[in-house]
């Protein structure tokens, strides 16, 4: 029984090492400044909505034009103020997430994975009518195993629950 647990931990560590190795500059001495640069890049002024996704499949966006990266915008509460409050309420219930409001229409969130502590950046832009554009992207690696798309769909489900909207059937 104990050997199985050790094997699971080793497999997780190997997967994490492989994901980090997928990053073009893994082990680079300026890795700390890269994270700072990424964070500054994600904090755009309100004159731009969301940064485009890179070609790698570790990003999804409601503004992406290709199917590989595109997700539908998130449902809102009918106006910006109510949608921002609803988003903050949902984010406040999730584990390992830190967020802050950037300007009058944007929320920048950082989701941290439980085991390997990978950080994914989620930018949410709320329009005047309450509709929410979203971008979720991994900081490291090329492939996220579908994590960012699942995260956006979980946010959609939680927002729909708060709005009292029925969930689409998957069958």
């Amino acid at each position: 029984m104990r050997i199985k647990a050790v094997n699971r931990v080793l497999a997780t560590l190997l997967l994490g090492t492989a994901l980090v190795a997928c990053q073009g500059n893994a082990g680079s001495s300026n890795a700390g400044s890269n994270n700072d640069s990424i964070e500054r890049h994600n904090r755009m002024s309100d004159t731009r909505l969301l940064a485009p996704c890179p070609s790698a499949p570790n990003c999804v966006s409601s503004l992406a034009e290709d199917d590989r990266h595109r997700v539908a915008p998130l449902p809102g509460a009918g106006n910006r103020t109510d949608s921002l409050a609803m988003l903050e309420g949902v984010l406040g219930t999730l584990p390992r997430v830190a967020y802050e409001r950037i300007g009058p229409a944007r929320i920048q969130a950082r989701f941290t994975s439980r085991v390997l502590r990978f950080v994914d950046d989620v930018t949410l832009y709320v329009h005047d009518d309450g509709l929410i554009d979203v971008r979720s992207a991994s900081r490291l690696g090329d492939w996220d195993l579908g994590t960012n798309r699942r995260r956006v769909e979980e946010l959609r489900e939680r927002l729909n629950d708060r709005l009292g909207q029925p969930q689409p059937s998957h069958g």
Side-chain angles (χ1 to χ4, degrees):
M1 187 75 141
R2 187 176 174 107
I3 292 173
K4 286 183 181 180
V6 170
N7 284 340
R8 270 183 278 174
V9 169
L10 288 174
T12 303
L13 289 173
L14 286 173
L15 175 61
T17 303
L19 288 172
V20 170
C22 288
Q23 180 187 17
N25 61 352
S28 165
S29 63
N30 65 352
S33 63
N34 262 352
N35 284 343
D36 294 342
S37 169
I38 291 168
E39 201 150 338
R40 276 193 306 278
H41 181 268
N42 285 335
R43 291 186 183 184
M44 301 162 291
S45 70
D46 280 337
T47 60
R48 289 184 50 201
L49 295 182
L50 304 172
C53 283
S55 61
N58 65 354
C59 175
V60 295
S61 172
S62 58
L63 298 179
E65 295 182 9
D66 61 299
D67 289 340
R68 181 181 190 189
H69 294 107
R70 178 140 177 80
V71 292
L74 298 174
N79 64 67
R80 179 178 283 160
T81 302
D82 291 345
S83 290
L84 283 165
M86 188 172 63
L87 272 172
E88 288 177 333
V90 166
L91 291 171
T93 66
L94 298 173
R96 297 174 311 283
V97 63
Y99 67 91
E100 60 185 318
R101 197 179 291 193
I102 308 294
R106 185 180 313 283
I107 293 177
Q108 183 65 45
R110 290 165 305 286
F111 287 76
T112 304
S113 67
R114 186 171 41 155
V115 177
L116 295 175
R117 315 306 282 172
F118 290 129
V119 177
D120 293 341
D121 294 301
V122 177
T123 305
L124 302 144
Y125 182 88
V126 182
H127 295 272
D128 289 334
D129 66 0
L131 184 70
I132 304 163
D133 275 313
V134 60
R135 177 185 188 270
S136 184
S138 301
R139 286 188 182 179
L140 296 175
D142 278 343
W143 189 36
D144 67 351
L145 304 171
T147 299
N148 286 293
R149 187 171 297 276
R150 282 191 304 275
R151 175 179 300 113
V152 169
E153 294 310 317
E154 179 183 359
L155 288 171
R156 180 183 322 285
E157 184 177 312
R158 288 174 180 258
L159 290 168
N160 278 331
D161 286 348
R162 287 186 180 235
L163 291 168
Q165 295 179 2
Q167 300 298 311
S169 63
H170 297 286

